[in-house]
Structures are given as structure tokens and as C-alpha cells.
Amino acid sequence: MPSERPSDSRMSNTDAMVPTESSIAQRTRFAVLSAIGLLIAGLIAWRASDGITTGDVVLVVVLTLPVLFALPRLMRGHRRTYAWMTLAVTPFLIVALTEAVANPAQRIWAGICLMLAFVLFVLLIAYLRVTRPLAKA
């Protein structure tokens, strides 16, 4: 008995279950990944502006390790990773805000990192909103 749908041996069962992502979701995901790159680059540039110390290296590693750990799943568009990444951005916000208040010499760098962390936080929420599953009636 012939099947109604032609069989494609290259397509697995899991490929058939993955919904396609809208173009706005793809653009938002690209913006999130770009913001992560800019935030990490800004953090490294900020901490290296006066010379690298052991404390600076530890700070950069501690702040970026959760982000780097999540990067492969972010690139694949896993919603749960986007959700918990909003929590991983919090230390960036805290360090930048503390430095902006307590260290007048570093206010420009702290402000840049604070802005980038806030933009990343908003983009993460935007991705979750754009990819939210529709409620069944």
C-alpha cells in the first residue's frame, strides 16, 4: 500500500518535530548573540584598560563562564536557556552598577557594560516573547 507522503530517508523523526523559527525570532537570536559578544568584549576591554591583574582575570572568567556554557544552546534557540540567561546577566549588571557608583575613574567603561548588559537582558526577554507558544483554546 503506497503511503500518501513520500519518504525522505534524510529526514529523521526529530527533524519533523522541530518547528520552524520565524524570521523575527532569528533576527532576535542574532541580536542576542551579538549583544553577548559585545558585552564580553566590553568587559575584557574595560578590565584591560588599566592593565590585567589576577583579580581582573578571575572577574572576567566568573562573569563569562555561565554565558559561554550557555552559548551552544542559545545558538540552537532553546527557550529554557534564554530564560535562565536572564539570571546570568544579573552579575554583569551588579558589577557595572557598583563600579559606576563607587569608581569615578571607571564610570565610562562601567556605563558601557551596564548599557550592554541591560540591552542583552531586554533582548533575551524579547526572544522569549517572540517564540512563546500559542495557547490552545
Side-chain angles (χ1 to χ4, degrees), residues 50-129:
D50 293 334
I52 300 272
T53 64
T54 305
D56 290 333
V57 172
V58 169
L59 179 68
V60 169
V61 168
V62 166
L63 289 177
T64 59
L65 197 58
V67 176
L68 295 176
F69 178 71
L71 206 54
R73 292 182 61 87
L74 288 172
M75 288 194 290
R76 287 188 297 237
H78 288 269
R79 293 188 82 249
R80 285 189 180 185
T81 306
Y82 280 82
W84 71 257
M85 271 296 296
T86 59
L87 298 173
V89 173
T90 306
F92 286 97
L93 292 167
I94 291 170
V95 167
L97 189 59
T98 303
E99 287 291 322
V101 171
N103 192 351
Q106 297 293 321
R107 282 198 178 135
I108 292 174
W109 284 108
I112 290 170
C113 284
L114 184 62
M115 181 192 62
L116 288 170
F118 184 69
V119 166
L120 176 59
F121 182 81
V122 169
L123 287 170
L124 289 165
I125 299 298
Y127 183 84
L128 290 170
R129 293 280 180 142

Side-chain angles (χ1 to χ4, degrees), residues 33-47:
L33 295 172
S34 298
I36 287 171
L38 288 172
L39 181 60
I40 292 172
L43 178 68
I44 291 170
W46 170 25
R47 300 318 296 177

